[in-house]
Amino acid sequence: KDGNVDGVDVSGITSAGLVKVGSVTASNSATVAIDNFVDTSNYSLYKIVAHNLLPSVNDREARVKFRTGGASGSDINATYYRAGYYAYASTSGTGSSSNTSYTNYGTFTGAIGNVAGEGISFTGIISAATGSAGTNWIEMNWVYKNDNEHMVKDNQTISIKETTAMTGIKFYFNTGNVASGTIDIYG
């Protein structure tokens, strides 16, 4: 209340927490995109929190595309690379997804169900290239129940090998719409 924490004056500290820089709510949407949130002069990384993205069709693959162009954003088309690991909490299956690439989109997981208790929620970190330096990448972590009723722990990194300035990001499923869910991004 008085600008002190344990006797230390913190009243002049303005960057003590995360700042919400973008948000979107899906409602039977073909895609969920947040454009024009990147400000590399103020934020070096971004935290993303997605809650209960539910496909309109069962057994879907979740995909991501980086975007450029500010408020009128367009997809960055390139080769997207994926590496990570997964483990089934309810069976003995584990594995990795290294040496995987896709043309013009990144896939981060499949078998996402569309009934209550399924869908996918995740947290992650986004690094945005400036146009002359860096590489666009996102690392995501989640636990979800897939369409076969298995609990899955997953960690994936998706990146592209170019310096195109990212200004936004888009999520969607390989077919069908995003029935519901929210995404928030913090700097």
Side-chain angles (χ1 to χ4, degrees):
K1 283 184 184 177
D2 62 2
N4 287 294
V5 174
D6 293 333
V8 176
D9 182 8
V10 294
S11 57
I13 297 175
T14 58
S15 59
L18 298 174
V19 175
K20 187 185 279 190
V21 295
S23 185
V24 64
T25 299
S27 179
N28 203 30
S29 309
T31 65
V32 285
I34 301 175
D35 283 317
N36 212 30
F37 70 85
V38 175
D39 179 358
T40 56
S41 64
N42 284 317
Y43 308 108
S44 58
L45 295 171
Y46 298 87
K47 180 169 180 88
I48 184 166
V49 179
H51 181 69
N52 201 31
L53 297 181
L54 192 67
S56 62
V57 178
N58 192 44
D59 191 14
R60 294 303 88 194
E61 176 182 274
R63 294 181 175 177
V64 62
K65 288 188 179 194
F66 302 123
R67 295 176 53 81
T68 191
S72 60
S74 61
D75 297 339
I76 298 176
N77 290 318
T79 300
Y80 285 70
Y81 296 90
R82 170 182 155 188
Y85 61 86
Y86 61 89
Y88 286 84
S90 54
T91 66
S92 60
T94 62
S96 65
S97 54
S98 61
N99 302 318
T100 307
S101 65
Y102 305 90
T103 302
N104 299 331
Y105 65 89
T107 293
F108 58 97
T109 194
I112 299 173
N114 70 336
V115 299
E118 295 181 345
I120 186 168
S121 297
F122 61 85
T123 62
I125 300 295
I126 299 170
S127 177
T130 64
S132 61
T135 300
N136 295 310
W137 58 265
I138 180 171
E139 179 181 8
M140 297 172 285
N141 295 284
W142 61 89
V143 175
Y144 75 105
K145 182 170 67 173
N146 71 14
D147 68 322
N148 293 319
E149 297 293 312
H150 295 142
M151 294 302 295
V152 182
K153 165 61 179 129
D154 213 330
N155 174 278
Q156 299 292 325
T157 300
I158 298 169
S159 63
I160 55 177
K161 293 181 179 179
E162 61 178 74
T163 60
T164 302
M166 181 202 314
T167 59
I169 196 162
K170 174 170 77 175
F171 294 91
Y172 62 103
F173 294 108
N174 60 318
T175 58
N177 289 341
V178 183
S180 60
T182 59
I183 297 175
D184 296 312
I185 298 179
Y186 302 86

